[in-house]
Amino acid sequence: MHDLANKIIKKDVRALARGISFLENDHPDKLSILKDLHAEGKGAHIIGITGSPGAGKSSLVNRFIQYLRSKKLTVGIVAVDPTSPFSGGALLGDRVRMAEHFTDPGVYIRSMGTRGSLGGLARTTKETVRMMDAYGFDVILVETVGVGQSELDIMKVADTTAVVLNPGSGDVVQVFKAGIMEIADLFIINKADLPGVSKLMTEIEGMLDLVKHDADYRPPIAQTISTQNKGMEDVWDLACKHLQYLQDSGEGERKKTRILQDEVLEVVHYELMKKIEQQQQDGDWREQIERRKIDPYTAAASILSELDLDR
């Protein structure tokens, strides 16, 4: 077993931090460590927190951490922030909002930028969650960037996906366009002290009547006021009920199988792309494209023929 993997299993928090850095920096030992940790997962409850920008996700997560710690549960947090396409940097605002937990040994917070990855998560989020699970956290919270209508990668990571909404946030049909409604296992109406809560609840229930979901499970709705630390118990109770449903129905195992199968192709895709980019750095097609001697499709076909995928 890789030395770093062994230390992570033994709850060495510095090894965990270093292992995640290996993932982000694409260290050569990355896949070896992940292979060693794969069978060491402790079965953490992975909860995804997603929703539109300004919904209060970070403040909600901050209060939720407090509640989970009051129940003596250890918590790992992956907070994803958007990376600037111009400077390449990311303002990791979640670290500011969750600063009070930094000295708590039962809490580990890892912020990461998307680095150009679409889908609401960083490219290494799923692998980071794997490491945290092997480390042994009871609950892992994954907070996505503020998502729109298509950033749905969180459903490939979390056991329970909570979509955070606000009353009076505009045209609810825009929020509920295809995708975001269907990934929700739980709805959280945050800032529930504002006007329009009953109207939003009615709209959610109406949309749920139209959207396909499991016959035996209808996503429930929790109300929270994160600034007043209200509603956290309801969120936890509903998340636990969803996890129980996954276990009782067998849907949890089917979901994990689908995720693992998808992950195989994701790893192959990333490693192949990395290899192709390395091999084609000095390719003749670059100069030919620059001089407009060939089109992109001819160049792509030439590269594919070199790979000889039909063998």
Side-chain angles (χ1 to χ4, degrees):
M1 177 177 282
H2 194 284
D3 181 57
L4 203 58
N6 189 46
K7 288 180 178 178
I8 289 172
I9 294 166
K10 293 180 179 178
K11 289 184 175 293
D12 184 333
V13 72
R14 291 187 178 182
L16 175 62
R18 191 178 176 201
I20 296 172
S21 294
F22 273 27
L23 298 178
E24 291 187 308
N25 298 325
D26 212 13
H27 192 279
D29 291 349
K30 177 186 75 173
L31 292 180
S32 175
I33 295 169
L34 288 170
K35 281 191 288 186
D36 290 341
L37 291 176
H38 177 73
E40 301 295 334
K42 307 296 194 302
H45 188 176
I46 304 165
I47 302 175
I49 310 290
T50 188
S52 57
K57 296 187 295 297
S58 296
S59 300
L60 177 70
V61 168
N62 182 45
R63 296 296 190 180
F64 196 39
I65 294 168
Q66 289 179 352
Y67 176 78
L68 294 173
R69 292 298 292 138
S70 73
K71 296 180 71 67
K72 308 300 181 186
L73 296 170
T74 56
V75 189
I77 301 99
V78 182
V80 185
D81 283 287
T83 298
S84 168
F86 303 105
S87 67
L91 177 62
L92 304 178
D94 304 297
R95 299 193 69 82
V96 177
R97 296 186 180 95
M98 302 177 198
E100 63 191 89
H101 302 292
F102 286 168
T103 56
D104 185 344
V107 176
Y108 179 78
I109 302 169
R110 184 71 179 216
S111 298
M112 50 181 57
T114 54
R115 298 187 180 185
S117 176
L118 302 177
L121 299 179
R123 182 183 57 79
T124 56
T125 299
K126 187 183 296 183
E127 296 161 343
T128 299
V129 169
R130 292 260 190 277
M131 280 195 176
M132 287 187 170
D133 189 21
Y135 180 89
F137 290 107
D138 298 315
V139 181
I140 299 174
L141 304 178
V142 182
E143 181 193 342
T144 74
V145 301
V147 300
Q149 296 165 5
S150 60
E151 297 86 349
L152 310 177
D153 279 359
I154 188 61
M155 66 180 293
K156 300 177 183 178
V157 176
D159 299 316
T160 302
T161 300
V163 175
V164 184
L165 303 169
N166 299 145
S169 56
D171 184 0
V172 77
V173 175
Q174 290 297 322
V175 178
F176 291 161
K177 279 191 176 178
I180 197 73
M181 279 292 288
E182 295 176 44
I183 70 166
D185 303 308
L186 163 65
F187 289 99
I188 300 175
I189 299 179
N190 193 30
K191 306 179 184 179
D193 53 335
L194 297 177
V197 172
S198 58
K199 180 176 182 288
L200 179 56
M201 288 191 71
T202 301
E203 290 173 332
I204 294 173
E205 294 290 359
M207 294 299 290
L208 283 173
D209 290 335
L210 300 175
V211 175
K212 180 182 177 182
H213 49 77
D214 295 339
D216 298 325
Y217 184 83
R218 183 183 177 95
I221 306 169
Q223 295 184 34
T224 62
I225 308 174
S226 56
T227 54
Q228 300 176 24
N229 204 15
K230 292 182 178 179
M232 302 304 138
E233 183 176 359
D234 289 342
V235 172
W236 177 239
D237 287 345
L238 292 174
C240 288
K241 286 179 180 176
H242 177 255
L243 185 64
Q244 190 64 51
Y245 159 75
L246 291 177
Q247 293 169 351
D248 293 345
S249 66
E251 181 57 31
E253 279 302 312
R254 289 191 289 272
K255 183 177 182 179
K256 285 180 180 178
T257 298
R258 290 195 299 269
I259 289 172
L260 290 171
Q261 290 171 343
D262 289 343
E263 193 166 356
V264 172
L265 297 180
E266 288 171 10
V267 172
V268 170
H269 177 266
Y270 178 74
E271 294 299 323
L272 268 178
M273 285 301 298
K274 188 169 68 172
K275 188 173 182 179
I276 291 170
E277 286 172 1
Q278 290 171 347
Q279 290 178 345
Q280 298 295 327
Q281 279 183 345
D282 300 318
D284 293 339
W285 58 268
R286 292 182 182 276
E287 183 182 351
Q288 291 178 312
I289 285 285
E290 182 181 353
R291 297 183 177 183
R292 304 298 188 269
K293 288 185 175 180
I294 60 171
D295 58 81
Y297 314 104
T298 302
S302 174
I303 293 172
L304 287 171
S305 67
E306 289 177 21
L307 293 176
D308 197 9
L309 296 176
D310 295 329
R311 280 193 306 181

